[in-house]
Amino acid sequence: MTARIIDGKHIASQVKQELEGEVRRLKEKFNLVPGLATILVGDDPASHVYVNSKIRTCEKLGIASFHKQLGSDVTEAELIEIIQRFNADSAVHGILVQLPLPGHIDESRILMTIDPGKDVDGFHPINVGKMVVGDTGFLPCTPAGIQQLLIRSKVSIEGAHVVIVGRSNIVGKPIANILVQKQSGANATVTICHSRTPDIAEHTRRADILIAAIGKPKFIQAEMVKKGAVVIDVGTNRVGSTKEGKSILAGDVDFDGVQDIAAAITPVPGGVGPMTIAMLMLNTVKAAKLSQGTV
Ligand code: GUN
């Protein structure tokens, strides 16, 4: 069996096309232009690539973007003040502080400063709480993108055993909370494995849907996957660079080995990554609509 490739780039462009129409409608009907503020601290090359890509996507969709680049020596107080200014700015509907932040800044205090109504990353504890109890808030972008990938590629989630490897606050923990909800596009049985799980393969081999978010290249090998499983690879490990200086990415899944076992698999790049940005745009448009009561 050779697995069907779940084309995240294609599905993300469908989502973005839908959003482009919605952005046009909001402008025509309400003179409303969704706005996203991005804040980048320091000069981590990968973070620069991500943030630039978010800004470019805003431009393509007609979303206004406001970017603040800060040196890695910025103080926590200065960063908080910048966020508060964006909180008060009615042209800004979404605020994103790119993570990770330098060690001298308390990440959790920064995330708590963002107005929960503008928290398009879904990292504020209010939105995390809403996600856990199944209320409407902002879902974090990568997990929301994974759910959309599964739904739009017609993978049955209801009753499936989803095994997640990785327990980060950005991917592992939220995707578990999203897929376990008593809601359509969810209702899964969920297992989370992590670095202290004694025999990870024993769990992954039982997965109908296996989500790899470990941060280790090719961690998931063919013998860890059940025949016919759907495999979602969240890994974006930099394993080298091209002559032109572009990063070479490897997923957390040994794609070549696993594609002979799985029923469907996401590639890296071109799987989960493009969905993250599409969901950020979706959350920004949603924030703009909520701000005007036009949802
Ligand atoms: N760093 C890695 N992933 C993310 C993300 O989804 N949002 C933000 N703000 N930073 C990140």
mmCIF file of all heavy atoms in Angstrom, residues 32 117 136-138 283-295:
data_model
loop_
_atom_site.group_PDB
_atom_site.id
_atom_site.type_symbol
_atom_site.label_atom_id
_atom_site.label_comp_id
_atom_site.label_asym_id
_atom_site.label_seq_id
_atom_site.Cartn_x
_atom_site.Cartn_y
_atom_site.Cartn_z
ATOM 1 N N LEU A 32 -14.995 47.184 6.926
ATOM 2 C CA LEU A 32 -14.149 46.589 7.982
ATOM 3 C C LEU A 32 -12.959 45.888 7.337
ATOM 4 O O LEU A 32 -13.130 45.034 6.468
ATOM 5 C CB LEU A 32 -14.993 45.584 8.778
ATOM 6 C CG LEU A 32 -14.283 44.728 9.823
ATOM 7 C CD1 LEU A 32 -13.678 45.582 10.930
ATOM 8 C CD2 LEU A 32 -15.264 43.714 10.436
ATOM 9 N N GLY A 117 -9.682 38.786 23.409
ATOM 10 C CA GLY A 117 -10.476 38.988 22.188
ATOM 11 C C GLY A 117 -9.611 39.221 20.960
ATOM 12 O O GLY A 117 -10.117 39.256 19.839
ATOM 13 N N THR A 136 -16.699 28.543 22.523
ATOM 14 C CA THR A 136 -16.109 29.228 21.381
ATOM 15 C C THR A 136 -15.121 30.281 21.848
ATOM 16 O O THR A 136 -15.465 31.189 22.590
ATOM 17 C CB THR A 136 -17.217 29.937 20.566
ATOM 18 O OG1 THR A 136 -18.225 28.982 20.353
ATOM 19 C CG2 THR A 136 -16.679 30.446 19.242
ATOM 20 N N GLY A 137 -13.883 30.125 21.429
ATOM 21 C CA GLY A 137 -12.863 31.150 21.656
ATOM 22 C C GLY A 137 -11.985 31.130 20.430
ATOM 23 O O GLY A 137 -12.474 30.925 19.328
ATOM 24 N N PHE A 138 -10.703 31.330 20.629
ATOM 25 C CA PHE A 138 -9.763 31.164 19.525
ATOM 26 C C PHE A 138 -8.986 29.880 19.747
ATOM 27 O O PHE A 138 -8.382 29.693 20.801
ATOM 28 C CB PHE A 138 -8.793 32.351 19.453
ATOM 29 C CG PHE A 138 -9.468 33.636 19.069
ATOM 30 C CD1 PHE A 138 -9.733 34.612 20.017
ATOM 31 C CD2 PHE A 138 -9.862 33.859 17.754
ATOM 32 C CE1 PHE A 138 -10.367 35.791 19.668
ATOM 33 C CE2 PHE A 138 -10.501 35.029 17.394
ATOM 34 C CZ PHE A 138 -10.756 36.004 18.360
ATOM 35 N N ASN A 283 -8.508 33.078 12.217
ATOM 36 C CA ASN A 283 -8.735 33.657 13.545
ATOM 37 C C ASN A 283 -8.743 35.187 13.491
ATOM 38 O O ASN A 283 -9.502 35.831 14.217
ATOM 39 C CB ASN A 283 -7.647 33.183 14.527
ATOM 40 C CG ASN A 283 -7.956 31.810 15.119
ATOM 41 O OD1 ASN A 283 -9.066 31.299 14.974
ATOM 42 N ND2 ASN A 283 -6.982 31.215 15.787
ATOM 43 N N THR A 284 -7.911 35.755 12.625
ATOM 44 C CA THR A 284 -7.856 37.226 12.523
ATOM 45 C C THR A 284 -9.166 37.774 11.950
ATOM 46 O O THR A 284 -9.711 38.762 12.443
ATOM 47 C CB THR A 284 -6.651 37.653 11.653
ATOM 48 O OG1 THR A 284 -5.460 37.105 12.224
ATOM 49 C CG2 THR A 284 -6.525 39.162 11.581
ATOM 50 N N VAL A 285 -9.677 37.097 10.922
ATOM 51 C CA VAL A 285 -10.957 37.523 10.329
ATOM 52 C C VAL A 285 -12.077 37.354 11.367
ATOM 53 O O VAL A 285 -12.940 38.223 11.529
ATOM 54 C CB VAL A 285 -11.247 36.718 9.034
ATOM 55 C CG1 VAL A 285 -12.656 36.975 8.527
ATOM 56 C CG2 VAL A 285 -10.212 37.054 7.962
ATOM 57 N N LYS A 286 -12.016 36.249 12.124
ATOM 58 C CA LYS A 286 -13.021 36.006 13.167
ATOM 59 C C LYS A 286 -12.956 37.099 14.243
ATOM 60 O O LYS A 286 -13.990 37.610 14.689
ATOM 61 C CB LYS A 286 -12.748 34.621 13.782
ATOM 62 C CG LYS A 286 -13.683 34.208 14.893
ATOM 63 C CD LYS A 286 -13.393 32.756 15.256
ATOM 64 C CE LYS A 286 -13.964 32.381 16.595
ATOM 65 N NZ LYS A 286 -13.700 30.990 16.958
ATOM 66 N N ALA A 287 -11.731 37.486 14.641
ATOM 67 C CA ALA A 287 -11.555 38.525 15.660
ATOM 68 C C ALA A 287 -12.132 39.844 15.169
ATOM 69 O O ALA A 287 -12.788 40.572 15.933
ATOM 70 C CB ALA A 287 -10.072 38.681 16.003
ATOM 71 N N ALA A 288 -11.909 40.150 13.880
ATOM 72 C CA ALA A 288 -12.428 41.398 13.319
ATOM 73 C C ALA A 288 -13.956 41.382 13.362
ATOM 74 O O ALA A 288 -14.599 42.360 13.765
ATOM 75 C CB ALA A 288 -11.926 41.571 11.886
ATOM 76 N N LYS A 289 -14.543 40.249 12.978
ATOM 77 C CA LYS A 289 -16.001 40.147 12.969
ATOM 78 C C LYS A 289 -16.564 40.238 14.388
ATOM 79 O O LYS A 289 -17.563 40.911 14.642
ATOM 80 C CB LYS A 289 -16.429 38.822 12.306
ATOM 81 C CG LYS A 289 -16.229 38.863 10.786
ATOM 82 C CD LYS A 289 -16.131 37.532 10.149
ATOM 83 C CE LYS A 289 -17.428 36.789 10.049
ATOM 84 N NZ LYS A 289 -17.275 35.521 9.287
ATOM 85 N N LEU A 290 -15.904 39.587 15.332
ATOM 86 C CA LEU A 290 -16.366 39.629 16.732
ATOM 87 C C LEU A 290 -16.313 41.063 17.268
ATOM 88 O O LEU A 290 -17.200 41.483 18.018
ATOM 89 C CB LEU A 290 -15.497 38.718 17.610
ATOM 90 C CG LEU A 290 -15.770 37.221 17.529
ATOM 91 C CD1 LEU A 290 -14.688 36.430 18.262
ATOM 92 C CD2 LEU A 290 -17.146 36.886 18.122
ATOM 93 N N SER A 291 -15.287 41.807 16.853
ATOM 94 C CA SER A 291 -15.124 43.173 17.362
ATOM 95 C C SER A 291 -16.287 44.059 16.920
ATOM 96 O O SER A 291 -16.587 45.063 17.554
ATOM 97 C CB SER A 291 -13.786 43.774 16.894
ATOM 98 O OG SER A 291 -13.879 44.158 15.540
ATOM 99 N N GLN A 292 -16.926 43.691 15.808
ATOM 100 C CA GLN A 292 -18.027 44.495 15.277
ATOM 101 C C GLN A 292 -19.384 43.817 15.488
ATOM 102 O O GLN A 292 -20.394 44.304 14.990
ATOM 103 C CB GLN A 292 -17.849 44.683 13.763
ATOM 104 C CG GLN A 292 -16.490 45.140 13.343
ATOM 105 C CD GLN A 292 -16.329 46.634 13.423
ATOM 106 O OE1 GLN A 292 -17.132 47.364 12.873
ATOM 107 N NE2 GLN A 292 -15.313 47.081 14.139
ATOM 108 N N GLY A 293 -19.363 42.676 16.128
ATOM 109 C CA GLY A 293 -20.619 41.929 16.315
ATOM 110 C C GLY A 293 -21.215 41.471 14.996
ATOM 111 O O GLY A 293 -22.438 41.407 14.854
ATOM 112 N N THR A 294 -20.384 41.179 13.994
ATOM 113 C CA THR A 294 -20.918 40.793 12.675
ATOM 114 C C THR A 294 -20.706 39.311 12.362
ATOM 115 O O THR A 294 -20.760 38.927 11.212
ATOM 116 C CB THR A 294 -20.261 41.607 11.543
ATOM 117 O OG1 THR A 294 -18.853 41.368 11.586
ATOM 118 C CG2 THR A 294 -20.557 43.063 11.656
ATOM 119 N N VAL A 295 -20.462 38.513 13.381
ATOM 120 C CA VAL A 295 -20.252 37.078 13.134
ATOM 121 C C VAL A 295 -21.588 36.433 12.801
ATOM 122 O O VAL A 295 -22.574 36.675 13.477
ATOM 123 C CB VAL A 295 -19.613 36.395 14.356
ATOM 124 C CG1 VAL A 295 -19.609 34.882 14.192
ATOM 125 C CG2 VAL A 295 -18.206 36.892 14.532
#
